[in-house]
Amino acid sequence: MKELLECKHFINGQWINAQTTEQQAITNPSTGETISWSPLNGNKDVDDAVSSAAKAFEEWRDTPVTKRAQIMYRYKQLLEKNIDELSRLVTLEHGKNVIEARGSVGRGIEVVDLACSLPAVFKGETLHNVGGGVDYETRRFPLGVCAGITPFNFPAMIPLWMFPIAITCGNTFVLKPSPQTPLTSIRLVELLDEAGLPKGVINVVHGGKEAVDALLEHPQVQAVSFVGSTPIAKYIYQTGTNAGKRVQSAGGAKNYALLTQDAPVKETVDALIASAFGSAGERCMAMSIVIGTDDVIDKFLPHIRNAAAELTVGPTFGDETPDMGPVISQEHLERIQNYITSGIEQGAKLILDGRKHDIINPSNGFFIGPSIFDHVKPNMRIAQEEIFGPVLCVMRVADFDAAMEQINTSPYGNAAVIFTNNGACAREFRNRAQCGMIGVNVGVPAPMGLFPFSGWNDSFFGDLHVQGREGIDFYTKKKVVLNRWF
């Protein structure tokens, strides 16, 4: 690109340069070229952003929720009007193909829909004449300054999980996007500013760990939302709660897909391919392990392998729309390749090697095709750790009970799916699988914005999840009022 895109902070309604000279390159994963530089700032910019949000909160919390929702209505219209531009930005800095990018922006807009409905949901409860002429009522109140720390893989969707609900509830917000993909977040906030949000209600700061720690430790930040890897999610939760903050912290996953003999072949294979290899496997909802008995695996695996081998892989920012684009960086590409090497060394059978996949329109981007391992054992690294790439593991077990036992030994608890036409089997699976999101013949059981994104165990740290009623509860506190009149 001839000109680099700008990456500035947004503080008190103004786009400003960072007070630092330390920067991280933002690359186009399809070409490997630098498209911008993300500031890696210190505490000063964070403090300015939080101070701006704290000052704006005094007036914003008293703005009627109906007026706050009207801004969300205008914001939704602007998002829909500019969805093509937003999708291209996601593709540019992350590498998703444009279909996946557009879908992810659309899922974020669903949460803006929920924010628009807040006047109906924000209401409290009443109980008349509880006793002795006393009436009870509950009222919702905003928390204050909230912060969102978002990952690289969904630069539009995940920020939209957070700030629309938070600010419509009456809070102010500081967003710290991933330094690898901050450009989409910048555009989201530009559109929110255009929708008429008052100065200081939303702010954007860039940076790495130093900026994260500054938000977690800042005395004026009341709540923190995070999505990322499990080790960082645990750190965010422990550090934030130790500082007295409310924290929702979503981590990684190792999701299982259980196949049964009577599952429909085409529909099952199509769903598995989309789940395992969509977004180049860089999502916490990817099905990364297929599990089943020998006869079931022998029936389905040739179809899965053939379908994966036929996927097109190549640059996504241009005229082409391949099935799968690049991964986020050269470093991440090497990490995935190391996992493949580990699987081979530990005895798994590599039946499809993504390192040898043909790339359409080759470039200097970060490409790897889909890989599939058969005969994966539970003690292997590829079975235990989140690879976060297009690598599918196949595990063979003796029966349904053995499959359930294996699924539930995972320390994660994000999602699990079953493919079957047996209602009793599906019911048993729903009841026994120890995770928060279940799919029955659904490859990616990610709920729409009206329902919570409900990870369990090491996939989530906190009590209230993002999205849905839980998201509204997270960003508000309740006051119980007892009334008696003499």
Side-chain angles (χ1 to χ4, degrees):
M1 299 178 64
K2 294 182 179 180
E3 296 182 3
L4 298 183
L5 300 173
E6 289 189 320
C7 186
K8 295 183 176 183
H9 300 313
F10 187 68
I11 298 176
N12 196 32
Q14 300 294 323
W15 292 102
I16 62 174
N17 291 317
Q19 301 179 56
T20 180
T21 57
E22 187 179 358
Q23 296 179 316
Q24 175 177 322
I26 304 167
T27 59
N28 177 348
S30 286
T31 64
E33 68 177 337
T34 297
I35 55 177
S36 186
W37 293 89
S38 179
L40 298 178
N41 63 292
N43 295 357
K44 182 64 169 65
D45 292 313
V46 171
D47 187 62
D48 288 348
V50 174
S51 297
S52 168
K55 183 178 180 180
F57 175 66
E58 297 176 8
E59 183 175 349
W60 181 245
R61 68 183 172 188
D62 294 329
T63 302
V65 65
T66 50
K67 291 188 176 181
R68 299 196 298 255
Q70 286 299 320
I71 294 175
M72 283 298 109
Y73 277 113
R74 293 196 292 272
Y75 186 46
K76 181 190 173 186
Q77 291 176 334
L78 288 169
L79 290 172
E80 291 174 336
K81 179 181 178 180
N82 292 276
I83 192 170
D84 288 338
E85 178 194 358
L86 290 166
S87 302
R88 287 195 299 271
L89 268 175
V90 172
T91 296
L92 172 66
E93 63 179 349
H94 173 268
K96 287 182 177 68
N97 69 39
V98 70
I99 298 172
E100 294 170 333
R102 188 182 181 90
S104 69
V105 177
R107 295 304 295 266
I109 294 175
E110 290 175 2
V111 183
V112 182
D113 276 331
L114 177 61
C116 291
S117 73
L118 265 176
V121 182
F122 205 74
K123 295 181 296 184
E125 299 172 319
T126 62
L127 186 59
H128 172 68
N129 197 25
V130 175
V134 178
D135 303 327
Y136 282 29
E137 62 180 285
T138 62
R139 298 182 180 184
R140 288 185 183 270
F141 291 87
L143 304 177
V145 179
C146 301
I149 303 165
T150 58
F152 74 83
N153 58 329
F154 285 96
M157 183 182 76
I158 293 180
L160 289 173
W161 280 359
M162 300 176 183
F163 67 75
I165 295 178
I167 62 179
T168 312
C169 284
N171 302 286
T172 53
F173 205 85
V174 178
L175 174 64
K176 196 216 78 67
S178 165
Q180 293 178 289
T181 56
L183 303 176
T184 305
S185 292
I186 288 172
R187 186 61 180 140
L188 291 176
V189 172
E190 286 178 343
L191 293 173
L192 186 53
D193 185 47
E194 185 179 338
L197 194 71
K199 291 181 178 181
V201 175
I202 192 162
N203 303 266
V204 179
V205 290
H206 304 284
K209 184 178 184 299
E210 185 179 357
V212 170
D213 287 341
L215 288 169
L216 292 174
E217 296 165 2
H218 201 290
Q220 290 181 296
V221 173
Q222 303 300 313
V224 177
S225 301
F226 173 81
V227 177
S229 69
T230 288
I232 305 302
K234 188 174 183 179
Y235 171 81
I236 295 287
Y237 179 74
Q238 291 176 337
T239 306
T241 54
N242 284 342
K245 305 183 191 314
R246 185 178 290 190
V247 180
Q248 54 182 194
S249 195
K254 199 70 178 178
N255 304 318
Y256 282 78
L258 174 58
L259 309 186
T260 65
Q261 185 65 248
D262 60 357
V265 175
K266 183 182 185 306
E267 291 82 356
T268 298
V269 171
D270 288 347
L272 281 174
I273 292 295
S275 178
F277 304 120
S279 196
E282 294 176 321
R283 56 186 179 187
C284 67
M285 294 302 290
M287 289 301 122
S288 53
I289 299 181
V290 168
I291 191 167
T293 56
D294 280 332
D295 59 329
V296 174
I297 297 301
D298 290 341
K299 173 182 176 180
F300 281 91
L301 190 52
H303 298 283
I304 296 171
R305 186 205 175 281
N306 291 341
E310 292 174 0
L311 293 176
T312 57
V313 179
T316 52
F317 194 72
D319 297 330
E320 299 289 341
T321 306
D323 298 313
M324 204 173 86
V327 296
I328 188 65
S329 66
Q330 181 64 33
E331 180 183 14
H332 193 56
L333 174 61
E334 292 171 1
R335 179 177 181 270
I336 296 167
Q337 292 170 336
N338 288 337
Y339 272 109
I340 294 173
T341 301
S342 172
I344 296 170
E345 291 174 346
Q346 291 190 315
K349 184 178 180 182
L350 184 62
I351 64 170
L352 183 64
D353 189 347
R355 298 169 300 181
K356 301 177 181 179
H357 201 95
D358 289 336
I359 308 300
I360 59 174
N361 298 324
S363 68
N364 292 324
F366 317 122
F367 299 102
I368 186 169
S371 296
I372 300 176
F373 279 102
D374 192 8
H375 298 284
V376 174
K377 303 300 181 185
N379 62 343
M380 295 178 178
R381 281 187 64 213
I382 58 173
Q384 295 181 344
E385 300 176 12
E386 184 180 37
I387 299 173
F388 220 62
V391 180
L392 180 63
C393 299
V394 178
M395 196 176 291
R396 297 167 181 257
V397 291
D399 53 28
F400 180 87
D401 288 335
M404 295 308 305
E405 181 179 356
Q406 176 56 39
I407 291 170
N408 291 336
T409 60
S410 173
Y412 299 102
N414 213 45
V417 303
I418 184 171
F419 290 93
T420 185
N421 274 332
N422 186 318
C425 187
R427 183 176 186 273
E428 185 77 2
F429 181 85
R430 292 197 306 266
N431 290 338
R432 290 174 60 181
Q434 295 299 304
C435 58
M437 289 171 280
I438 302 293
V440 178
N441 299 319
V442 175
V444 183
M448 64 182 298
L450 293 174
F451 290 83
F453 194 86
S454 187
W456 286 10
N457 306 330
D458 283 358
S459 291
F460 182 75
F461 301 91
D463 298 305
L464 296 169
H465 296 85
V466 296
Q467 297 192 155
R469 176 82 65 163
E470 288 192 38
I472 297 168
D473 288 341
F474 178 80
Y475 288 117
T476 56
K477 53 189 175 183
K478 292 181 182 178
K479 183 181 291 186
V480 180
V481 181
L482 283 67
N483 296 296
R484 173 188 281 159
W485 298 97
F486 297 107

